[in-house]
């Protein structure tokens, strides 16, 4: 993963697991921001196969949205390396992060009804699962606070955990519950889905099948195929600039960015 020298404006702990380090939101704020604003926001989840990774991966995207007037957030979640956990806890922590953001909208200066959720690879899985998959809620959490995104920003996401698809063996005992592609339900937020045509983990056929599932259910899925790009392409030049431009255009189409 290319290193970047960006630094968030705020680090906010949103969850303290029983064992291991606390989980934080890495928050990038726009110029002129103040608590009580009602700005659109985006929460991103890093990739790393549910095994590892760092919130720093999505600093460039969070910062670019903050430069455009949104609040950009890159969130921690437990992984196998950091906390010895399974994909279930990844999704649970994703839901915890979104609930925390929505329930603290006022102090974050955001509109809880204009919350985009995004991520790359396994982080894209977390983003989509928090929207579509029931269950995986932390004990004692207020489940009346929705974890469904108002828009999804997906960078080569793992969406299909069925047999023969990536990650199936890690989740085979509960794949039907945790596979976003098998749990698409209304209301479906508008979805941006960016993937390389040479992605060895997410074949173009799998991506097109998800697009069709969403559209058949009456949803919007903007599938952007990046010719010749492999897995994890989105944080390397020139793809970082290209995918950021696609994300910006998509959010403009929703009226979230002027």
């Amino acid at each position: 993963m290319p290193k970047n020298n960006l630094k968030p404006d705020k680090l906010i702990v949103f969850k303290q697991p029983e064992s291991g380090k606390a989980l934080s939101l890495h928050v990038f704020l726009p110029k002129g921001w103040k608590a009580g604003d009602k700005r659109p926001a985006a929460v991103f989840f890093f990739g790393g196969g549910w095994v590892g990774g760092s919130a720093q991966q999505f600093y460039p995207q969070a910062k670019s949205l903050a430069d455009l007037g949104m609040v950009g957030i890159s969130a921690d979640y437990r992984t196998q390396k950091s906390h010895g956990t399974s994909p279930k806890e990844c999704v649970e922590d994703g839901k915890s992060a979104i609930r925390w953001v929505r329930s603290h909208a006022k102090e974050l200066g955001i509109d809880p009804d204009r919350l985009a959720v995004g991520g790359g690879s396994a982080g894209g899985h977390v983003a989509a699962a928090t929207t579509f998959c029931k269950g995986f809620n932390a004990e004692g959490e207020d489940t009346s606070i929705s974890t469904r995104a108002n828009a999804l920003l997906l960078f080569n996401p793992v969406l299909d955990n069925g047999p023969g698809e990536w990650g199936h063996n890690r989740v085979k005992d509960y794949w039907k519950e945790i596979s976003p592609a098998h749990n698409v339900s209304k209301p479906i937020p508008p979805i941006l889905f960016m993937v390389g045509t040479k992605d060895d983990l997410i074949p173009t056929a799998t991506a097109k099948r998800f697009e069709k599932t969403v559209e058949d259910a009456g949803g919007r899925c903007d599938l952007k195929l990046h010719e010749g790009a492999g897995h994890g392409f989105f944080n390397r030049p020139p793809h970082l600039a290209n995918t950021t431009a696609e994300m910006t255009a998509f959010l403009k189409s929703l009226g979230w960015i002027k």
Side-chain angles (χ1 to χ4, degrees):
M1 183 181 90
K3 286 280 173 250
N4 57 66
N5 300 313
L6 300 170
K7 287 205 164 42
D9 298 296
K10 288 184 181 210
L11 268 181
I12 304 170
V13 173
F14 71 90
K15 189 173 187 178
Q16 176 59 70
E18 279 178 19
S19 61
K21 63 176 187 163
L23 305 177
S24 295
L25 302 171
H26 304 236
V27 184
F28 290 83
L29 299 169
K31 271 200 179 100
W33 172 92
K34 58 188 186 304
D37 284 353
K38 289 206 77 172
R39 297 173 183 268
V43 178
F44 295 99
F45 298 105
F46 59 84
W50 308 301
V51 173
S54 151
Q56 193 186 18
Q57 183 182 49
F58 273 94
Y59 280 13
Q61 291 82 1
K63 173 77 169 81
S64 73
L65 292 184
D67 290 344
L68 293 165
M70 290 177 62
V71 173
I73 301 168
S74 189
D76 291 334
Y77 61 91
R78 286 172 291 173
T79 63
Q80 188 182 315
K81 272 187 184 159
S82 70
H83 292 79
T85 48
S86 76
K88 281 183 182 176
E89 286 79 19
C90 301
V91 174
E92 182 198 296
D93 292 343
K95 290 195 170 194
S96 298
I98 294 162
R99 285 199 177 103
W100 199 98
V101 168
R102 277 217 168 99
S103 59
H104 294 78
K106 217 169 185 152
E107 71 188 71
L108 289 169
I110 67 164
D111 179 353
D113 297 321
R114 286 191 295 166
L115 181 62
V117 181
S121 194
H125 172 271
V126 171
T130 56
T131 283
F132 292 124
C133 298
K134 293 183 173 74
F136 308 104
N137 296 302
E139 213 174 302
E141 228 164 65
D142 182 357
T143 54
S144 72
I145 300 166
S146 174
T147 62
R148 200 173 277 255
N150 302 109
L152 283 170
L153 309 170
L154 306 177
F155 299 75
N156 55 235
V158 175
L159 296 174
D160 190 331
N161 302 116
E165 297 292 339
W166 190 86
H168 176 72
N169 287 343
R170 290 280 312 279
V171 298
K172 63 177 180 292
D173 295 339
Y174 51 91
W175 71 268
K176 282 183 180 159
E177 288 77 47
I178 207 166
S179 173
H182 294 82
N183 289 279
V184 170
S185 62
K186 292 177 176 173
I188 301 170
I191 299 168
L192 174 64
F193 182 170
M194 298 166 281
V195 68
T197 60
K198 293 275 191 283
D199 193 314
D200 52 352
L201 306 184
I202 299 141
T204 301
T206 301
K208 287 183 170 170
R209 193 166 62 240
F210 181 81
E211 177 191 37
K212 186 175 186 319
T213 299
V214 169
E215 289 177 346
D216 286 352
R220 170 184 172 185
C221 183
D222 294 10
L223 178 60
K224 305 289 186 185
L225 296 172
H226 288 254
E227 201 53 52
H231 195 70
F233 73 106
F234 60 89
N235 258 5
R236 295 191 289 268
H239 305 298
L240 176 59
N242 296 341
T243 54
T244 301
E246 285 179 350
M247 174 177 71
T248 304
F250 176 75
L251 291 165
K252 277 186 176 160
S253 79
L254 303 180
W256 293 15
I257 293 172
K258 300 228 171 0

